Amino acid sequence: MTDVINDLAAEAAAAFDGGVAYTYAAQDALTARILVVEEGGLAFPRGNDIGGPDDVSAGTWSGILEGAGFEPGMYSWWNAIPCGLDRQPTADDKARGRKYLTRVIALHPDLEVVLAIGTVAHQVVDAAGPRARVLKTRSPMRANAARREEIRAMFERARLDAYPVGLHRDE
């Protein structure tokens, strides 16, 4: 399933002027109950791998994910603007991002929660209108330590909504 996500990412990058494909670390799309949607776009213009804990900001993300009880297989990761851009995202970029996000959501039949990170992600997720519960938070890349604790708490809420006590990721 990761190949399908990576192929979709490469297709998306080709559809955006100035786009650089990201490497996705989408995991277990067939069984993941949480989809984390980060802003993407100008925030990551060099095409770094932003698949959650594998990115160049590993300490920030891994602290949030581990602190919230996220384990591999519980979540997949996507960007609202699914490639790095050398400019600010436009309304057209967001509309195209929504189309790709809709396709990614369809790859997750067990999806319970979509966690939108940052303003652009909020807008694109709202436009996609997933049937799953939507939770929104700010980006930890633009937050101080106290705000990161609030963000970690939102990730924990997403985990508890998707995996209630007694329900494990394999069920």
Side-chain angles (χ1 to χ4, degrees):
M1 186 53 72
T2 300
D3 289 341
V4 173
I5 298 275
N6 286 330
D7 290 346
L8 190 57
E11 177 187 327
F16 286 79
D17 285 340
V20 178
Y22 289 132
T23 303
Y24 284 87
Q27 302 174 40
D28 301 322
L30 292 177
T31 59
R33 293 180 178 201
I34 302 168
L35 177 62
V36 179
V37 180
E38 193 176 10
E39 290 189 351
L42 187 64
F44 303 94
R46 293 184 185 85
N48 293 326
D49 177 358
I50 66 154
D54 300 327
D55 77 354
V56 295
S57 304
T60 299
W61 280 121
S62 64
I64 288 170
L65 293 167
E66 291 170 12
F70 273 47
E71 297 176 19
M74 289 182 160
Y75 66 97
S76 281
W77 202 279
W78 188 254
N79 289 307
I81 306 298
C83 62
L85 297 176
D86 58 2
R87 57 182 166 69
Q88 289 290 337
T90 64
D92 184 56
D93 292 331
K94 293 173 190 176
R96 280 184 282 161
R98 177 193 49 81
K99 290 178 184 176
Y100 286 102
L101 177 58
T102 299
R103 290 171 63 186
V104 169
I105 289 169
L107 294 173
H108 294 78
D110 297 327
L111 195 61
E112 295 285 334
V113 178
V114 176
L115 183 55
I117 303 170
T119 305
V120 172
H122 299 174
Q123 295 166 350
V124 173
V125 168
D126 284 347
R131 291 188 177 166
R133 180 177 183 165
V134 175
L135 298 176
K136 298 176 183 178
T137 188
R138 65 181 65 221
S139 172
M141 300 305 131
R142 296 169 184 81
N144 62 30
R147 293 284 188 187
R148 284 192 199 114
E149 180 56 27
E150 292 174 21
I151 295 164
R152 188 216 48 82
M154 187 60 76
F155 271 74
E156 183 175 18
R157 180 174 167 199
R159 183 189 52 82
L160 290 171
D161 285 355
Y163 297 92
V165 174
L167 182 64
H168 297 79
R169 70 174 189 258
D170 297 332
E171 295 179 8

